[in-house]
Amino acid sequence: MVLVRSRPRSFSVRYTLISTARVAARSRERSMKVLSWSGRCLVGAMALATCVSAAEATAPAADKLRVVCTTTMITDLVKTIAGDAADVRGIMRPGEDPHVYDVRPRDVQLVADAQLVVMNGLHLEATLGAVIKHNTPDATVVKLAETPEITPLASEQTKGAPDPHCWFNVQYFRIYAQRARDALIAADAANGDAYRDRAAIYIKQLDELDAWVRSEIASVPVERRVMVTSHDAFQYFGKAYQIDVYAVIGISTEQQAKPRDLVRLEAIVRERGVKALFVETSVSNTLNSLVKKVAARSGASIGGTLYSDSLGAPGTEAGTYLGMVRHNTRTIVKALR
Ligand SMILES: [Zn+2]
């Protein structure tokens, strides 16, 4: 079950419930959390807007384009390109995992009020994606990773499902930037020059970052370019910068590790002489503890903590996409070299 806006956009947005076969059982369970919360305020259908707490409800700017972004990487990107010209809100907070993100009531409100929604796509947003799909009849929804310019990698562990973690190839994130810029211009032509100028500066920074990552990785001897992570988020990084990447589980943290996964990984670590394994900030402690277990059993060490599906806290180095990639690259190079 998901919350769906039942009437055209108005100040008093109304919601009803619909069932959808596309939302998996787990997704339904999460959405029911939204519904049970709403149930305290709703009898049948009533205005959700009145249920949002004062702390969560900041009125959208009346005179600016209202943009809502899903992950922290995309929020950073769109805020950088939009500057003050648009009202850009991010849904996920630092450290939150998009694969298993629990939709909050205020997210539904934000999405329903948006004129432009910018997301990753390729099923990264899972439950939130379903909420966006059913609450944006009048808004433009842009899925940055879903474009012919990006060739999705397929995952064997998920029977060929596309890998959504395209942002770890900086050249692909450059395409994200171009698409976000074009979406902003299409939705708000009056500020087109501002979006174009800011995007040009940012794209230049991405090109410099891409060159820097290549030179850093090139300093690691080829035979040592093997890394192991918690979940399989770094295949685009590995393909772009020539590192073999293995993980405890596949491309979604919804998966559970099986004993045979750990045995397989231990064998790889021993055979390839892997020096260091990496834990991640946005996955569960349980999953990270499995990485530590594999490292201990196979005589390797933990090389550090990587930011995979979420940025770090604002104000820290990893609080921006540029800083996150620099942090990850330095951590990987230091451990492997
Ligand atoms: Zn992921």
Side-chain angles (χ1 to χ4, degrees), residues 97 99 124 164-165 167 231 233 251-253 309:
D97 179 351
H99 302 288
L124 175 74
H165 305 89
W167 59 88
H231 90 298
I251 56 174
S252 174
T253 51
D309 294 2

Side-chain angles (χ1 to χ4, degrees), residues 8 44 150 232 237 292 321:
I150 291 177
D232 206 5
F237 185 85
K292 293 173 185 171
Y321 172 82

Side-chain angles (χ1 to χ4, degrees), residues 315-329:
T316 65
E317 186 196 25
T320 66
Y321 172 82
L322 298 172
M324 174 186 77
V325 172
R326 281 194 291 263
H327 166 91
N328 285 350
T329 303

